[in-house]
Amino acid sequence: MKAQKSKTQMTASGVKIDVGGTERVFDIADPVLPDWLDKHALTSGGYPYDKKLDGDEYDETIERLQIELVKLLAWMQSTGERALVLFEGRDAAGKGGTIDVLRQYMNPRTARNVALTKPTETERGQWYYQRYIAHFPTAGEFVTFDRSWYNRGGVEPVMGFCTPEQHVRFLEETPQYELAIVREGIRFFKFWLDLGQEMQLKRFHDRYHSPLTNWKFSDMDMAGLGKWAEYGQARDQMIEATHSDHAPWAIVRSNDKRRTRIEVMRRILKSIPYAKRDEAAIGKPDKKIIGTGPGFLRDN
């Protein structure tokens, strides 16, 4: 998906956005979502659909896929197979929700999610990848990461949490680190959930004003509102440097959470030859929504 040409500036009350030559002001504290944002959120960033997937179709499809995931995990437990699935994307891209639906009916004893907080003082003194390796799957486990070592590919360089030298070294070393994961026999998946700027702002607004989810909106989110282009440049550089044959990036256009969840599940289920796999239940991927590597990221 092509980078959206926009300039973003922070103002005293929110963010000023120049999209396609039209300047808009977004104040997250205003409880009323602007009409221009509500109208264009779903199709922002070149999203190929102007309506969300029908709810009944989504429910039926998700149930079929979740049944297959239960079968997959049972096969993994009987064979000792291991799976590691990491999710990356801009804030509010839908990583946590996708993981929740993915794992909803999987046995929590063998299907774990990892969402690490910022490094401790001890962890900052370790090899950068070390604290993540401690959570890798053992035999029969399916492990998801809600963000991962790729913090150093995006958030850290944009927000100044690592040095330029550390960032460059990370981009150079990560493909070899991931080659070791694959050679170990772990089935390894990397998903980048990509969304448009207007959709991100709409989701931020929803979070900010919800008494149930306002805890998800952080000071880091507020600080990042004015860094849309910087995050986009870091994303492009990261995916270009770390996409490989042994550890490819799956890119999922994520303005519609329903389609996102379906395509993530399909990609995993189609990539692992578990017993009694039902191809008809899994269905075919939507090539408008999911693709592979930097070429699909640029394709719009």
Side-chain angles (χ1 to χ4, degrees):
M1 187 177 295
K2 295 178 182 177
Q4 189 175 9
K5 295 181 179 179
S6 64
K7 295 180 180 179
T8 309
Q9 293 179 314
M10 294 301 295
T11 69
S13 58
V15 62
K16 183 183 294 184
I17 310 167
D18 181 358
V19 181
T22 301
E23 185 177 277
R24 305 286 192 181
V25 176
F26 171 68
D27 181 0
I28 197 166
D30 187 340
V32 179
L33 185 70
D35 289 342
W36 62 268
L37 187 56
D38 191 32
K39 181 178 180 181
H40 297 291
L42 184 60
T43 57
S44 62
Y47 194 72
Y49 293 102
D50 58 8
K51 293 182 180 179
K52 292 182 179 180
L53 183 67
D54 175 75
D56 290 339
E57 181 180 352
Y58 168 75
D59 290 339
E60 293 171 4
T61 304
I62 283 293
E63 183 175 2
R64 292 198 306 269
L65 296 174
Q66 288 174 328
I67 290 171
E68 292 300 304
L69 286 165
V70 171
K71 290 160 58 176
L72 166 63
L73 188 58
W75 173 81
M76 290 177 59
Q77 290 176 284
S78 67
T79 60
E81 289 276 350
R82 296 166 291 173
L84 177 60
V85 187
L86 63 84
F87 291 84
E88 294 289 344
R90 295 178 187 267
D91 293 322
K95 300 179 290 297
T98 299
I99 292 170
D100 287 345
V101 176
L102 173 67
R103 297 177 58 249
Q104 187 174 2
Y105 294 104
M106 299 174 87
N107 186 340
R109 293 186 179 89
T110 51
R112 297 185 288 110
N113 185 52
V114 179
L116 300 182
T117 58
K118 65 181 182 180
T120 64
E121 185 174 351
T122 297
E123 289 170 336
R124 287 195 294 270
Q126 296 173 342
W127 180 44
Y128 177 71
Y129 304 97
Q130 188 168 339
R131 75 186 191 122
Y132 298 102
I133 294 171
H135 299 276
F136 276 20
T138 189
E141 282 194 327
F142 183 101
V143 176
T144 53
F145 272 76
D146 186 346
R147 294 198 179 277
S148 66
W149 47 92
Y150 280 102
N151 281 330
R152 183 147 291 180
V155 174
E156 290 190 16
V158 171
M159 301 305 293
F161 297 154
C162 70
T163 67
E165 293 76 17
Q166 288 173 323
H167 180 221
V168 169
R169 187 164 66 248
F170 170 82
L171 296 178
E172 292 174 346
E173 292 178 350
T174 294
Q176 292 303 310
Y177 163 68
E178 292 176 348
L179 180 60
I181 295 173
V182 175
R183 284 179 172 172
E184 172 59 21
I186 296 173
R187 296 186 182 274
F188 182 47
F189 300 85
K190 301 189 301 189
F191 289 99
W192 176 268
L193 307 189
D194 205 66
L195 82 167
Q197 186 175 22
E198 288 94 330
M199 179 55 77
Q200 184 190 51
L201 294 177
K202 181 180 185 302
R203 291 181 184 174
F204 277 163
H205 186 272
D206 292 345
R207 287 181 179 181
Y208 186 90
H209 292 281
S210 168
L212 295 175
T213 62
N214 55 32
W215 59 270
K216 291 185 177 182
F217 189 82
S218 67
D219 292 340
M220 279 287 294
D221 292 331
M222 193 66 192
L225 281 177
K227 296 183 179 294
W228 176 266
E230 291 88 340
Y231 273 114
Q233 291 167 1
R235 171 204 62 190
D236 293 348
Q237 184 181 12
M238 179 187 79
I239 291 176
E240 186 74 40
T242 61
H243 176 69
S244 63
D245 291 339
H246 59 269
W249 277 104
I251 312 299
V252 189
R253 294 171 176 165
S254 300
N255 284 7
D256 179 2
K257 294 179 181 180
R258 294 171 179 172
R259 290 186 170 94
T260 299
R261 295 164 183 172
I262 287 170
E263 295 308 322
V264 165
M265 292 181 186
R266 280 178 174 157
R267 174 61 63 95
I268 293 170
L269 292 167
K270 282 185 168 293
S271 301
I272 301 178
Y274 60 96
K276 299 181 181 180
R277 182 169 65 182
D278 187 340
E279 293 287 351
I282 297 171
K284 297 181 179 180
D286 184 342
K287 295 182 180 179
K288 293 181 181 180
I289 298 298
I290 190 167
T292 303
F296 188 76
L297 192 67
R298 291 190 295 265
D299 184 22
N300 185 8

